[in-house]
Amino acid sequence: MIVLIDDEAAELRRIMAEGLLYPVFQPILDFRVRAILGYEALIRGPEDSPLHRPDQLFSVAARNDLTLDLEHACREASLRAFAAQRLPGRLFLNVTPGCLLDERLMNGHTRELLNELAIAPNRIVIELTENQKITDMPGILEALQHYRGRGFQFAIDDLGEGFANLRMWSELRPEFVKIDKHFINGIADDRIKFHFARAMQDLAEICNALLVAEGVERTEDFICVRDMGIACGQGYFIARPETHPIRQLAGQTVTALDQQSLLLSPLTGGPGKLPTARNLARLIEPVPMNASNVTVIARFEADPDLDVLPVVQGTQPVGMINRHSMIDRFARPFRKELFGRKSCELFMDHAPLVVDQYATIQELAMMLSVAPKHYLFDGFIVTAQGKYIGVGSSHDLMATITEMQISAARYANPLTQLPGNVPINEHVDRMLESGHPFIAAYIDIDNFKPYNDAFGYRRGDDVIHTLARLICEATDPQIDFVGHIGGDDFFVIFRSEDWELRCWQIISTFAQAMGNMLGVEERLRGGYMAENRRGELSFQALPTLSIGAVKVGPGDCESHREVAAAASAAKKQAKKRAKNPANEPLGGSLFVERRRIGSTDALQPVGRFLN
């Protein structure tokens, strides 16, 4: 849209000169810890001006060679408003790649402004937009190295909107990547969008970047994005951009978050025993933000075991003070006289790691693994509905994880290291309690004992190892659960919509793998000669798979015992079909229980065999 103004360049210069630009801030939610990660600053012109909207502002700037001037003015307005409101967390600043080479960024002006506003560079995320083509990639890379060396982080915007930002991702290696809202709006109902986002997530894990889902506007999309494991979300469902944005999550967001996702490997010691941040919270009496530095020093001197002090404004945590950093600063000449009576806000970390009490141990561990190193020493602040309740330490977190891993190893299958009977039962019970529908699939190897007897247990173990690998490759590690009951029996809890296709994939790839384990003659004959149980030499068919699958809906079962019994019955039906000489299966059988568990309908077979 072209804005018609008598002298548009003069109007834009007037707006910048008179400081009439102002930002609105939109919160970015960190799903992992149920807290606001930071805010994206979005610029606005005067409401009564034709240049109110950002697209109008930047269109006029581009036509009049004022883009760098406008970006500089936007950056300063956003930083000053962010500091004036004392907003917590990180600030995401939109910057075009060419602006990184602006001498006003390179000559230290921004660093001086940050010092004036008491904003640490590690709280700033420079969000690169794809509004202009990069013509000097070596120069941009050199600029990124310069800024990263001073603590700044980077994000790229609108991933998926074009090929250029895919190149930016590979070249610039940003800490944050924002998925374009096109792929998020309706993702809960659109398999194509879901798989596109999943592919982006796989890339993010390889590149050690955090994904931010933009344009989250519906409850269903919010829950889908969270359950996919995407780190952060942004959109109207969480909060709209405001000049004075929310500091605590709104009711609808909290309600959606309370619909807890189901972890596949919770490392629990029993149902309902999954530790959370609340279990690690230790109450340390906080200091108010207006407390003096002398007061803080006195607290540390009075308690030698006190390593950190949380800082609050009312009941809301706003910072963290590290003991060693504080004492080291005040050990220098005249520091106590100069700063002793000033507010402790001067020396606190304005962006501490703040987590909700329901954040799981696994989420905390993942968060700390990619966080700046000082979080490992400072720990994290725990909140309940945005209010301070205590401080957790990394030491206690590591101790808890170690204890959980030891407990999990106790219940893992020793051959495949997959979850054994206890974690399988726990996961089924969690699924039943959640009310989520799922498919329980019992996988068994047919003709395994003769093969094991004929070729030895080492070759038999190879078959079981191979099947375990093929099952894991065919399932979605984000939502499907794979367990090893024991021997040649496996149990899978599917939540993937294409679970039936995945079952056939397991059957097919296992048949191919078994053929490759024997010679050409055995493969051509579909078996081998070996002694049977009576000691007679006879033909033995190659091991194949029988899979019995049961659909479990809300209210169908009360416990894992009912699910296990139903899946076992379906597996027996699959094995009966496989033994029918008329069928002569070459690969295996899949039998699906089509009736509701507990009904009197006849069993319904599916597909029947892979020939």
Side-chain angles (χ1 to χ4, degrees):
M1 175 180 177
I2 299 178
V3 181
L4 300 177
I5 308 175
D6 291 340
D7 190 342
E8 60 180 19
E11 173 66 7
L12 179 57
R13 288 192 180 95
R14 181 187 71 82
I15 290 173
M16 291 189 291
E18 296 180 12
L20 300 180
L21 296 170
Y22 69 94
V24 292
F25 297 98
Q26 187 170 33
I28 297 173
L29 168 66
D30 190 325
F31 287 111
R32 301 165 300 171
V33 294
R34 297 166 52 105
I36 293 175
L37 172 76
Y39 300 84
E40 179 181 359
L42 305 167
I43 206 67
R44 300 288 186 268
E47 292 188 3
D48 58 351
S49 168
L51 302 183
H52 171 64
R53 290 170 43 185
D55 57 338
Q56 297 164 340
L57 280 166
F58 282 93
S59 293
V60 170
R63 288 196 297 272
N64 294 278
D65 197 24
L66 292 171
T67 298
L68 293 182
D69 294 315
L70 177 59
E71 288 205 40
H72 175 74
C74 293
R75 188 167 60 249
E76 181 162 345
S78 299
L79 286 168
R80 290 193 180 280
F82 184 78
Q85 295 188 50
R86 293 175 173 172
L87 292 175
R90 293 176 171 85
L91 173 62
F92 285 67
L93 287 174
N94 287 292
V95 173
T96 56
C99 186
L100 290 178
L101 304 178
D102 184 2
E103 64 178 12
R104 282 169 290 193
L105 242 67
M106 299 293 285
N107 65 8
H109 177 275
T110 299
R111 185 170 67 251
E112 292 174 2
L113 180 59
L114 291 176
N115 289 337
E116 174 193 337
L117 300 175
I119 300 176
N122 63 12
R123 298 181 65 195
I124 303 300
V125 180
I126 298 175
E127 186 171 327
L128 298 173
T129 61
E130 198 188 355
N131 293 334
Q132 60 180 215
K133 184 177 180 180
I134 298 178
T135 57
D136 183 10
M137 183 61 76
I140 296 295
L141 292 175
E142 184 179 350
L144 256 68
Q145 185 176 3
H146 168 82
Y147 295 123
R148 279 199 172 109
R150 284 154 178 76
F152 294 93
Q153 293 184 310
F154 287 86
I156 59 172
D157 196 17
D158 296 334
L159 178 67
E161 190 178 58
F163 289 106
N165 52 19
L166 285 174
R167 184 191 172 190
M168 285 175 63
W169 189 354
S170 66
E171 295 275 4
L172 307 183
R173 306 295 172 88
E175 286 78 12
F176 297 89
V177 176
K178 290 191 168 185
I179 305 177
D180 184 71
K181 62 184 179 182
H182 166 79
F183 296 98
I184 301 303
N185 186 17
I187 189 173
D189 309 314
D190 191 323
R191 291 182 59 195
I192 299 299
K193 290 182 178 181
F194 178 89
H195 287 294
F196 266 110
R198 175 73 79 207
M200 297 177 196
Q201 188 178 11
D202 291 340
L203 283 173
E205 290 179 0
I206 294 171
C207 299
N208 199 28
L210 295 180
L211 284 188
V212 180
E214 290 189 299
V216 180
E217 298 184 359
R218 306 189 309 156
T219 305
E220 299 88 344
D221 296 336
F222 178 91
I223 294 175
C224 178
V225 166
R226 181 204 63 185
D227 288 351
M228 287 178 66
I230 291 176
C232 304
Q234 180 179 359
Y236 289 171
F237 181 83
I238 299 166
R240 291 178 176 269
E242 302 284 353
T243 52
H244 292 82
I246 63 169
R247 296 169 183 260
Q248 299 181 16
L249 298 176
Q252 67 174 3
T253 308
V254 173
T255 300
L257 284 171
D258 284 341
Q259 300 178 31
Q260 290 293 305
S261 58
L262 292 162
L263 298 176
L264 299 184
S265 302
L267 306 177
T268 66
K273 296 182 180 179
L274 180 61
T276 66
R278 179 85 191 209
N279 300 105
L280 301 179
R282 179 168 60 97
L283 180 60
I284 297 176
E285 187 64 31
V287 295
M289 195 163 62
N290 60 2
S292 68
N293 289 311
V294 169
T295 301
V296 172
I297 290 291
R299 283 283 302 275
F300 283 129
E301 290 177 343
D303 187 352
D305 295 326
L306 189 62
D307 294 319
V308 292
L309 263 179
V311 182
V312 296
Q313 188 172 26
T315 60
Q316 182 183 5
V318 293
M320 186 89 89
I321 301 175
N322 179 282
R323 173 193 190 91
H324 302 290
S325 176
M326 185 77 168
I327 292 178
D328 178 65
R329 288 174 174 177
F330 269 71
R332 301 173 190 177
F334 308 113
R335 284 298 181 98
K336 191 171 184 179
E337 290 77 9
L338 289 172
F339 302 109
R341 295 184 180 277
K342 292 188 176 181
S343 166
C344 64
E345 179 187 8
L346 187 64
F347 295 117
M348 76 179 187
D349 177 4
H350 289 258
L353 180 55
V354 179
V355 304
D356 185 82
Q357 61 178 334
Y358 295 121
T360 67
I361 296 300
Q362 288 177 313
E363 290 167 335
L364 283 171
M366 186 171 294
M367 184 78 171
L368 284 170
S369 69
V370 297
K373 291 182 180 179
H374 73 273
Y375 287 134
L376 291 174
F377 302 104
D378 292 352
F380 46 91
I381 294 175
V382 183
T383 61
Q385 297 181 337
K387 298 180 180 179
Y388 169 80
I389 61 172
V391 175
S393 73
S394 299
H395 179 273
D396 291 342
L397 174 62
M398 294 303 109
T400 301
I401 290 174
T402 301
E403 182 180 344
M404 292 163 63
Q405 289 176 331
I406 292 173
S407 176
R410 186 179 300 124
Y411 298 114
N413 185 279
L415 181 60
T416 61
Q417 295 303 303
L418 289 171
N421 290 340
V422 171
I424 291 172
N425 295 340
E426 290 176 357
H427 186 70
V428 172
D429 284 336
R430 283 198 308 276
M431 292 294 300
L432 294 174
E433 184 180 356
S434 74
H436 288 290
F438 63 93
I439 305 296
Y442 195 133
I443 303 175
D444 185 28
I445 304 179
D446 300 321
N447 309 314
F448 177 72
K449 189 178 187 306
Y451 182 93
N452 195 61
D453 292 342
F455 296 101
Y457 74 91
R458 292 293 297 273
R459 292 277 293 274
D461 286 352
D462 289 343
V463 172
I464 293 175
H465 271 295
T466 298
L467 178 56
R469 175 177 58 82
L470 295 176
I471 294 173
C472 291
E473 289 175 354
T475 52
D476 187 335
Q478 298 289 337
I479 56 178
D480 299 329
F481 179 95
V482 180
H484 188 176
I485 298 172
D488 60 331
D489 292 352
F490 291 80
F491 206 82
V492 181
I493 302 298
F494 283 108
R495 292 173 64 195
S496 297
E497 293 183 3
D498 57 348
W499 62 271
E500 198 165 334
L501 182 63
R502 294 173 187 267
C503 286
W504 283 117
Q505 178 185 336
I506 295 168
I507 290 173
S508 174
T509 54
F510 181 76
Q512 295 173 11
M514 286 307 308
N516 294 333
M517 289 183 181
L518 295 172
V520 176
E521 184 178 348
E522 286 83 1
R523 289 202 300 271
L524 291 175
R525 292 193 302 173
Y528 55 93
M529 299 301 294
E531 290 185 358
N532 59 24
R533 295 181 180 180
R534 295 188 297 272
E536 302 168 345
L537 192 65
S538 62
F539 181 80
Q540 303 291 338
L542 291 179
T544 57
L545 293 184
S546 289
I547 302 180
V550 179
K551 295 183 177 181
V552 183
D556 286 350
C557 297
E558 293 185 358
S559 74
H560 62 268
R561 293 179 178 84
E562 295 179 40
V563 175
S568 180
K571 185 257 298 184
K572 290 178 181 178
Q573 293 293 325
K575 293 180 81 69
K576 286 180 181 179
R577 299 278 301 180
K579 290 179 180 179
N580 187 341
N583 291 309
E584 296 182 355
L586 297 179
S589 63
L590 170 62
F591 186 92
V592 180
E593 167 69 280
R594 297 292 188 184
R595 67 179 184 175
R596 287 192 61 182
I597 298 177
S599 74
T600 57
D601 297 340
L603 295 173
Q604 302 292 325
V606 66
R608 324 321 184 230
F609 296 98
L610 184 69
N611 290 311

